[in-house]
Amino acid sequence: MVEYRIDRGSGVPAYVQIVEQTERALRMGTLTVGDKLPTAKEVVAATAVNPNTVLRAYRDMEAAGLVELRRGLGTFVTRSLARPGAEDDSPLRAELADWTARARRAGLERADVLALVTAALDAYDAAPPGPADPSGSPGPSAPPKHPAQHQENA
């Protein structure tokens, strides 16, 4: 089951955050076809958002074909976003979990980690595709000791 986390300071509407977190869970395989989403009442209790906000997110996901609202039964996943072979990413997921744990121990805040990952993704998008590293090495993965000051994009 997915547990929603609403960041009120992000500038992103709560219903969009619910949709994005659901889509992320569908991509990661945390949610699969047939899974039941938390009820609006459960999401409201966990996040303190308005019930209409949750219902809007669920309606948007239904319109996108991701879920089906069954009156009296709940909201169920109808489509996966996980790509074939996503389960093969588990070693990468484990490495990323280890890296984020090290980042936390090094004193980085969520915004610092997000800035580092965003910068890495920007470089990833800009780089031409190349051959895989034959050594299998993930490359440097430790967070910097003194992260540069940054402004987070809203």
Side-chain angles (χ1 to χ4, degrees):
M1 174 159 317
V2 65
E3 293 182 23
Y4 296 109
R5 181 178 171 273
I6 304 302
D7 181 357
R8 298 187 192 300
S10 72
V12 177
Y15 80 93
V16 172
Q17 292 182 51
I18 291 170
V19 170
E20 289 175 345
Q21 290 172 40
T22 303
E23 289 175 344
R24 191 166 29 253
L26 289 168
R27 282 191 194 291
M28 300 292 293
T30 307
L31 284 175
T32 59
V33 173
D35 285 349
K36 183 178 177 184
L37 295 184
T39 65
K41 186 175 182 177
E42 290 169 335
V43 177
V44 168
T47 63
V49 298
N50 185 298
N52 290 329
T53 299
V54 180
L55 295 174
R56 178 173 180 186
Y58 282 16
R59 282 192 307 269
D60 285 0
M61 289 186 286
E62 183 177 43
L66 298 176
V67 300
E68 176 184 25
L69 281 69
R70 299 179 193 159
R71 189 167 299 283
L73 295 176
T75 304
F76 295 86
V77 173
T78 56
R79 185 167 59 112
S80 174
L81 295 177
R83 61 179 175 67
E87 61 278 357
D88 296 334
D89 290 344
S90 60
L92 293 173
R93 289 182 196 180
E95 289 176 25
L96 186 56
D98 181 57
W99 183 88
T100 55
R102 289 195 324 268
R104 179 182 293 246
R105 288 191 303 271
L108 274 70
E109 295 179 10
R110 181 182 177 88
D112 298 321
V113 170
L114 183 59
L116 286 169
V117 170
T118 300
L121 287 173
D122 289 346
Y124 173 88
D125 290 341
D133 180 358
S135 72
S137 170
S141 60
K145 291 185 180 187
H146 303 288
Q149 295 295 322
H150 65 277
Q151 276 189 314
E152 190 172 336
N153 295 333

